[in-house]
Amino acid sequence: MKKYLVAAACLTLVSGAVYARKLNKEQKRLEECGVVMQEVLNVPDNIPHELLEKAECVIVIPSVKKLAFGVGADYGRGAMICRTGEHFRGAWGAPAMYALEGGSVGFQIGGEATDLVLLVMNGRGMDSILSSKVKLGADASVAGGPKGRDASADTDAWMRAEILSYSRSRGLFAGVSLEGSTIRPDNGASERVYGREIKAADIVRSDKMSAPATGRHLAAVLQKRAPRNESERASN
């Protein structure tokens, strides 16, 4: 009996290793988005729960990096996930892959890679991001988000913004300005995640699209922390 248990355990480990080797870099990046989101929400002084409940989409960009040459441009790749259903009342859906690009936005500390989380607060912001390459601060309004349990979610500056942005680097967590950066659908990466050609809009707007195995952690973390949309739009 003991031999069978040992054999089964070895088979499980081998299967897990094979699965890990089969993942391409986009699938691994999507898994990392779920890890980053969970870690950010476990920070004591993190994104106000009231704002997360009002967000219609969330973009997670793990390990944004600064190019070591030229003008010091920043770049990163990650995923956007939105609530499903009419007026975004439903559960968190399937993620689409995204890319962030821009000039030096000053959110890095000592050159270390920085994780970003963006809350898309209304349908106008989501429509802009789904349509094409969007310049933050011009095509879509963006502001560094408040943090902490005592932060007011009703401040005009935050309520007017279509996107609220946060950064985490070296254990520090704060709102950050991304004006001048651009964000766009990375349809090539989405194709490599889903195994077929598919556009971000078709992923995010579909109620029938299932999240791939590598994206389920991200969806589960958000579903646990903010299962219902508490925005005025969802209640109308």
Side-chain angles (χ1 to χ4, degrees):
M1 182 65 178
K2 188 177 291 185
K3 290 182 179 179
Y4 288 121
L5 291 175
V6 172
C10 291
L11 182 60
T12 299
L13 290 173
V14 171
S15 298
V18 170
Y19 172 73
R21 284 199 300 270
K22 284 184 177 178
L23 293 181
N24 60 42
K25 64 180 181 180
E26 283 79 15
Q27 292 168 326
K28 290 177 182 178
R29 185 177 295 121
L30 181 53
E31 279 194 334
E32 189 178 357
C33 288
V35 173
V36 167
M37 193 73 241
Q38 183 171 26
E39 290 176 351
V40 163
L41 293 180
N42 286 337
V43 173
D45 198 22
N46 65 15
I47 300 169
H49 187 243
E50 183 180 353
L51 286 177
L52 187 60
E53 286 183 320
K54 291 180 178 180
E56 297 186 347
C57 303
V58 173
I59 300 172
V60 183
I61 311 283
S63 300
V64 174
K65 298 177 181 178
K66 187 181 294 293
L67 295 175
F69 55 87
V71 296
D74 298 283
Y75 71 97
R77 296 180 186 276
M80 180 169 83
I81 183 170
C82 300
R83 299 179 190 272
T84 58
E86 186 179 6
H87 301 307
F88 304 94
R89 290 192 183 99
W92 292 92
M97 305 306 286
Y98 268 77
L100 176 83
E101 299 153 344
S104 296
V105 293
F107 53 72
Q108 291 196 298
I109 301 174
E112 184 167 306
T114 301
D115 300 319
L116 294 180
V117 175
L118 283 63
L119 305 186
V120 184
M121 302 306 296
N122 53 49
R124 187 171 60 254
M126 189 203 74
D127 289 341
S128 296
I129 292 173
L130 281 178
S131 60
S132 62
K133 186 174 183 178
V134 169
K135 188 171 184 179
L136 300 178
D139 303 320
S141 60
V142 61
K147 65 187 183 74
R149 297 176 183 176
D150 298 328
S152 172
D154 297 321
T155 302
D156 287 345
W158 298 328
M159 295 302 291
R160 287 198 302 267
E162 294 167 354
I163 299 170
L164 297 176
S165 52
Y166 295 88
S167 69
R168 183 188 68 157
S169 183
R170 289 188 180 177
L172 300 177
F173 180 77
V176 62
S177 175
L178 296 179
E179 288 197 18
S181 298
T182 59
I183 191 162
R184 61 172 175 82
D186 191 348
N187 292 325
S190 291
E191 180 179 351
R192 289 185 285 276
V193 165
Y194 286 90
R196 60 190 175 92
E197 186 175 344
I198 188 167
K199 294 182 178 180
D202 295 329
I203 297 171
V204 170
R205 293 187 185 278
S206 174
D207 292 337
K208 298 179 181 179
M209 194 82 184
S210 297
T214 50
R216 290 172 192 164
H217 185 199
L218 175 60
V221 168
L222 289 169
Q223 190 62 31
K224 180 179 180 180
R225 295 298 185 99
R228 291 176 299 277
N229 188 344
E230 301 293 345
S231 67
E232 292 182 5
R233 172 175 168 164
S235 61
N236 290 339

